[in-house]
């Protein structure tokens, strides 16, 4: 038997006792050790995640220890691992093109199917990767960092380019970090002074701008009206996503990391005048996970500063509502299972 934290309905988290899973053919049985809490989990708790049915076991930022693994797969009992939570089919046109992150039949742990806020989890072996040289806390942060790394890779940033990141939550912070590692000059816009300070102090953001009605003018003035080679939106706001088109320089790129259940509109004359490249960025691929892991091992990711909050699985139902308040100052919270 094992403890499982279930979101039975919006605002209703409860510990249940369930039978531990029996791994099927080709599956790894994991003892889950750490789970990162992200915006998706908070949306599930609030009832604002549009692609989900209840009850659901949340949790897709996972690290753990192998209990058992198929023979010949390179994993053995005791190995420390992280999980790629995007369970792609491997056969659809997107997978055939090497883009399993946008698989047509994707199942994301903790969203479409039950995730990792439990003691044991069975996962197809192809989505479990061994980690060496990093701790379990750090391994549980690879997934959210990989989303930012993937967006930066999509943008093909060159050293010296000017980059704007709008939204300094965890995903925006990840984009800031990897844009800086790519050699860009990075400006960050957010409404929260604490997150802007974090971006400057821990990630090396070159300029920070507090969101206000004056933000368009401020960005225009600081760039002499040219604006930015690459703009990333990580706000989760349809209005902000639409406004961001105005911040892209002629010949520049706009990368939408945010996903909203709304139509996004823009001025076609302005879009064509700039010959703008508009890019979606969804999830991440193994190349991005490998890039993040290498950066952590090289000491280029401030993982200790990122991990601002911790709790045990049994206590999450009590602390999660508080973590969701801006005053809590959460960047990345890690749950021990």
């Amino acid at each position: 038997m094992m403890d499982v934290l279930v979101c039975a309905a919006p605002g209703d988290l409860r510990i249940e006792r369930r039978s531990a899973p029996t791994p099927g053919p080709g599956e790894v049985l994991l003892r889950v050790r750490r789970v990162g809490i992200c915006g998706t989990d908070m949306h599930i708790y609030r009832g604002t995640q549009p692609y989900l049915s209840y009850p659901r076991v949340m949790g897709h930022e996972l690290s753990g220890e192998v209990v058992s693994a198929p023979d010949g797969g390179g994993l053995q009992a005791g190995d420390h691992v992280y999980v790629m939570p995007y369970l792609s089919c491997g056969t659809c046109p997107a997978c055939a093109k090497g883009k399993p992150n946008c698989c047509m039949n994707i199942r994301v742990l903790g969203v479409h199917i039950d995730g990792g806020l439990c003691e044991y989890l069975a996962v197809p072996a192809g989505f479990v990767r061994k980690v060496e040289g990093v701790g379990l806390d750090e391994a549980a942060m690879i997934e959210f960092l990989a989303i930012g790394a993937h967006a930066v890779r999509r943008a093909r940033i060159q050293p010296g380019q000017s980059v704007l990141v709008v939204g300094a939550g965890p995903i925006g912070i990840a984009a800031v970090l990897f844009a800086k590692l790519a050699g860009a000059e990075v400006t960050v816009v957010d409404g929260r002074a604490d997150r802007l300070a974090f971006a400057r102090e821990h990630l090396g953001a070159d300029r920070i701008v507090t969101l206000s009605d004056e933000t368009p003018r401020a960005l225009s003035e600081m760039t002499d009206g040219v604006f930015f080679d690459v703009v990333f939106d990580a706000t989760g706001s349809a209005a902000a996503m639409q406004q961001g088109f105005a911040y892209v320089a002629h010949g520049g790129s706009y990368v939408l990391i945010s996903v909203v259940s709304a139509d996004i509109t823009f001025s076609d004359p302005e879009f064509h005048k700039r010959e703008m490249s508009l890019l979606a960025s969804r999830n991440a691929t193994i190349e991005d996970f490998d890039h993040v892991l290498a950066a952590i091992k090289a000491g280029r990711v401030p993982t200790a500063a990122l991990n601002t909050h911790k709790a045990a699985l049994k206590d999450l139902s009590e602390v999660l509502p508080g973590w969701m308040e801006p005053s809590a100052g959460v960047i990345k919270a890690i749950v021990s299972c």
Side-chain angles (χ1 to χ4, degrees):
M1 299 296 289
M2 66 174 181
D3 284 341
V4 179
L5 187 67
V6 180
C7 189
D12 183 2
L13 287 177
R14 58 184 70 172
I15 292 283
E16 294 183 0
R17 290 290 289 172
R18 295 184 180 179
S19 297
T22 299
E27 289 188 331
V28 175
L29 180 63
L30 299 178
R31 176 63 174 91
V32 180
R33 294 298 185 188
R34 302 288 190 275
V35 181
I37 300 299
C38 80
T40 296
D41 302 311
M42 294 180 181
H43 282 299
I44 293 169
Y45 181 77
R46 289 189 182 104
T48 55
Q49 218 293 341
Y51 309 110
L52 178 129
S53 59
Y54 297 89
R56 178 63 68 228
V57 179
M58 304 184 298
H60 61 272
E61 301 178 7
L62 310 178
S63 67
E65 182 178 338
V66 173
V67 176
S68 64
D71 292 336
L75 294 172
Q76 58 185 7
D79 285 344
H80 285 184
V81 296
Y82 71 83
V83 175
M84 286 192 68
Y86 328 121
L87 306 187
S88 51
C89 71
T91 58
C92 74
C95 289
K97 294 172 186 173
K99 295 180 69 67
N101 57 306
C102 50
C103 169
M104 295 174 66
N105 306 301
I106 200 164
R107 297 177 301 148
V108 179
L109 291 172
V111 180
H112 305 110
I113 58 176
D114 283 347
L117 283 173
C118 56
E119 293 182 295
Y120 293 92
L121 186 68
V123 182
F127 300 93
V128 181
R129 306 282 291 196
K130 188 175 179 178
V131 291
E132 294 177 326
V134 304
L136 288 167
D137 287 350
E138 294 173 312
M141 287 189 267
I142 293 174
E143 191 272 343
F144 94 88
L145 292 167
I147 293 176
H150 182 73
V152 168
R153 185 160 66 94
R154 289 276 285 152
R156 299 181 179 179
I157 289 174
Q158 300 300 311
Q161 283 190 312
S162 61
V163 166
L164 175 67
V165 178
V166 185
I171 301 302
I173 281 172
V176 173
L177 173 63
F178 286 95
K180 286 296 299 180
L181 292 181
E185 180 182 272
V186 180
T187 300
V188 185
V189 171
D190 198 90
R192 287 177 51 175
D194 60 327
R195 287 185 169 176
L196 291 173
F198 186 95
R200 170 169 279 174
E201 294 168 14
H202 296 287
L203 308 176
D206 299 282
R207 294 179 290 194
I208 56 176
V209 177
T210 303
L211 182 66
S212 72
D213 292 341
E214 296 299 311
T215 296
R217 181 184 61 81
L219 295 177
S220 178
E221 289 180 355
M222 73 170 50
T223 60
D224 295 324
V226 173
F227 291 103
F228 299 89
D229 297 315
V230 181
V231 176
F232 295 95
D233 179 90
T235 64
S237 163
M241 293 163 77
Q242 293 184 170
Q243 177 62 43
F245 283 86
Y247 302 148
V248 182
H250 284 236
S253 299
Y254 190 22
V255 184
L256 300 180
I257 314 175
S258 297
V259 179
V260 295
S261 55
D263 293 336
I264 303 298
T265 62
F266 56 88
S267 166
D268 185 65
E270 290 297 321
F271 182 75
H272 273 82
K273 183 169 69 176
R274 289 167 166 77
E275 198 178 50
M276 189 189 306
S277 296
L278 177 60
L279 300 168
S281 183
R282 185 182 186 193
N283 300 330
T285 67
I286 190 59
E287 292 85 357
D288 305 305
F289 279 74
D290 287 344
H291 181 42
V292 170
L293 183 56
I296 291 174
K297 287 182 176 181
R300 306 184 77 187
V301 180
T303 51
L306 289 167
N307 183 192
T308 55
H309 293 66
K310 295 183 179 182
L313 180 67
K314 65 181 179 61
D315 298 324
L316 184 59
S317 60
E318 296 180 10
V319 301
L320 183 59
W323 284 354
M324 293 166 61
E325 296 297 325
S327 59
V330 172
I331 300 296
K332 179 52 56 179
I334 303 289
V335 175
S336 297
C337 296

